[in-house]
Amino acid sequence: MSPAARWAAAASILDQIVAGYPAEKALTTWARKSRFAGSKDRAAIRDHVYDILRCWRSTASLGGGETGRARVLGRLRQTGEDPDAVFIGDGYALSPLSEDEREAGHPPIGVEALDLPDWVYEQFLSSLSDKADATAEALRHRASVFVRVNLLKADVVSAQAALLEEGIETAPHPLSETALEVIEGARRLSQTEAFRTGWVELQDVASQAVVDALPLTEGMRCLDYCAGGGGKTLALAARLRGPVDAHDADPRRMSDLPDRADRAGATVTRVDRPKRTYDLVLCDVPCSGSGSWRRSPEGKWRLTPERLDELTGIQAKILDQVAGLVRPGGTLAYATCSVLTCENEAQIDGFLSRHPGWRVAMHQRFDLSQGGDGFFVATLTKT
């Protein structure tokens, strides 16, 4: 596909997203119908779509409309590329610009330029104060790619060397001792021997740092209560060098976990209804995902005040449910990939007000300026 044809495909996919299709579904549907597109074509189109999703409001402002075509025009203007090299009308390219389109659009102002819904920006201001604008700006750009070195099978030096032999250049990151930032070759990671044999796993550096912050000792009984795909479950197993129980309200989310655990050399037991008590229970709860909107930018446009209220209710319910699963003297760990106070500190305050006899041992925010996603973690001790 030509560069112009890739932009035209992106415009078509964006129109599907405007119509309500989830981004991944729209991309997958297009790829299935477009067998002529090679892997490089699909990767480039995906990048175009996600770059525009991160800058949804500002590209519409610059392009003078909310269609996929207008947003492509806005993105080209945003990045300083020549629209006339894309809107050429040849083959599968977008038709040439009209005079009205050439005159349409304006530089984004205010919250438009920060690419947030107005009501979300108010949440950012109340939660982040003078860091609100910088956090919003960071979310407009692509996230770095990180891997976690699996300590059950390798160390950082050997994993880094193995990846380099296959053309994947990495660098250690100060936020977590198990993290390597991928500098070159990220798209080939899953094809490497280091990945296939479980030496490394894809995992954001701040997500790794959350596990690092937990009071873990070998031999602990540990439950990952909201395990999902199992990224933190496997990180826990590597740190503990022992078994970890995993639970999720929707067991289908854990469907890949057995294979991932086998590849990592980790012992993970899926538990439908946890009944025993544990030394540590981790609750990486469902949340807005606001700290990871660089990776999932669609989330900031799909989130509503009603959905945020629903999520905070779910978070409080989960905390109440797991309180009885922690042994006396044990630890309840609460984590989100959110930057919003209502999902973080306010949830801890609410839990303490409902459950006398607990105290906060630690709480920490991981800011996007530190290199990874925005995360929050707190540990509570049952006396």
Side-chain angles (χ1 to χ4, degrees):
M1 295 177 69
S2 69
R6 290 171 174 176
W7 280 111
S12 173
I13 293 165
L14 290 165
D15 282 333
Q16 292 294 303
I17 295 170
V18 170
Y21 282 81
E24 285 299 323
K25 181 178 179 180
L27 282 160
T28 300
T29 300
W30 181 88
R32 286 174 179 167
K33 293 180 178 179
S34 307
R35 299 297 184 182
F36 56 85
S39 60
K40 291 184 179 179
D41 296 320
R42 294 193 300 272
I45 292 163
R46 182 185 182 86
D47 284 347
H48 290 333
V49 169
Y50 271 82
D51 286 341
I52 290 172
L53 276 170
R54 292 183 191 97
C55 300
W56 197 240
R57 291 189 74 176
S58 60
T59 53
S61 298
L62 287 163
E66 297 188 351
T67 64
R69 178 183 173 92
R71 285 192 163 97
V72 165
L73 174 58
R75 182 61 180 174
L76 295 169
R77 288 170 172 169
Q78 196 170 58
T79 57
E81 298 177 63
D82 181 10
D84 287 326
V86 171
F87 292 83
I88 56 177
D90 292 342
Y92 293 99
L94 293 161
S95 61
L97 295 171
S98 67
E99 287 305 314
D100 286 345
E101 287 176 313
R102 292 182 185 279
E103 296 176 5
H106 64 270
I109 56 174
V111 184
E112 277 183 339
L114 292 174
D115 282 301
L116 288 177
D118 289 347
W119 77 271
V120 172
Y121 182 60
E122 293 302 318
Q123 290 280 340
F124 270 46
L125 286 175
S126 63
S127 300
L128 299 165
S129 188
D130 59 351
K131 293 183 179 180
D133 286 13
T135 301
E137 177 61 29
L139 292 169
R140 299 179 68 244
H141 304 277
R142 296 183 193 180
S144 298
V145 176
F146 294 94
V147 295
R148 175 182 56 81
V149 177
N150 177 17
L151 299 179
L152 293 173
K153 289 195 169 184
D155 57 49
V156 171
V157 173
S158 59
Q160 188 174 19
L163 287 168
L164 187 59
E165 285 184 5
E166 298 191 69
I168 310 298
E169 182 182 352
T170 62
H173 195 280
L175 202 58
S176 174
E177 63 182 19
T178 57
L180 290 173
E181 182 175 1
V182 181
I183 308 301
E184 184 67 37
R187 294 196 192 279
R188 301 193 304 276
L189 259 174
S190 62
Q191 303 164 23
T192 65
E193 188 70 11
F195 181 85
R196 289 196 298 265
T197 57
W199 280 33
V200 297
E201 285 273 355
L202 281 165
Q203 188 174 14
D204 177 70
V205 65
S207 179
Q208 297 181 52
V210 165
V211 176
D212 295 346
L214 303 181
L216 301 173
T217 57
E218 291 187 24
M220 291 179 69
R221 292 192 309 241
C222 184
L223 170 67
D224 187 352
Y225 190 77
C226 306
K232 291 186 179 66
T233 311
L234 297 178
L236 287 168
R239 287 287 182 180
L240 293 171
R241 296 189 174 276
V244 173
D245 286 355
H247 166 82
D248 199 280
D250 184 353
R252 292 172 297 181
R253 298 190 188 109
M254 298 189 293
S255 60
D256 294 334
L257 185 51
D259 289 341
R260 293 182 68 189
D262 183 62
R263 187 174 69 230
T267 302
V268 175
T269 302
R270 292 187 293 178
V271 181
D272 290 336
R273 293 182 176 85
K275 294 179 181 178
R276 64 186 293 184
T277 58
Y278 293 86
D279 300 305
L280 184 142
V281 177
L282 170 62
C283 299
D284 183 12
V285 297
C287 69
S288 65
S290 50
S292 58
W293 280 343
R294 290 183 299 187
R295 302 178 193 280
S296 303
E298 190 177 13
K300 63 179 169 179
W301 312 113
R302 302 290 191 199
L303 186 66
T304 64
E306 294 76 20
R307 176 56 177 162
L308 183 58
D309 287 343
E310 181 184 5
L311 285 166
T312 55
I314 292 170
Q315 293 156 7
K317 183 178 180 180
I318 289 172
L319 281 170
D320 292 342
Q321 288 173 338
V322 302
L325 298 176
V326 182
R327 68 162 178 83
T331 297
L332 169 55
Y334 175 84
T336 74
C337 54
S338 171
V339 301
L340 304 181
T341 298
C342 63
E343 297 186 279
N344 296 332
E345 292 87 354
Q347 287 291 1
I348 301 304
D349 291 343
F351 177 81
L352 294 175
S353 70
R354 297 189 302 273
H355 297 271
W358 289 78
R359 66 177 182 85
V360 177
M362 175 276 295
H363 66 88
Q364 184 174 357
R365 278 184 182 249
F366 295 98
D367 191 273
L368 275 80
S369 65
Q370 295 173 276
D373 292 343
F375 267 88
F376 173 83
V377 62
T379 58
L380 302 102
T381 301
K382 185 178 183 180
T383 58

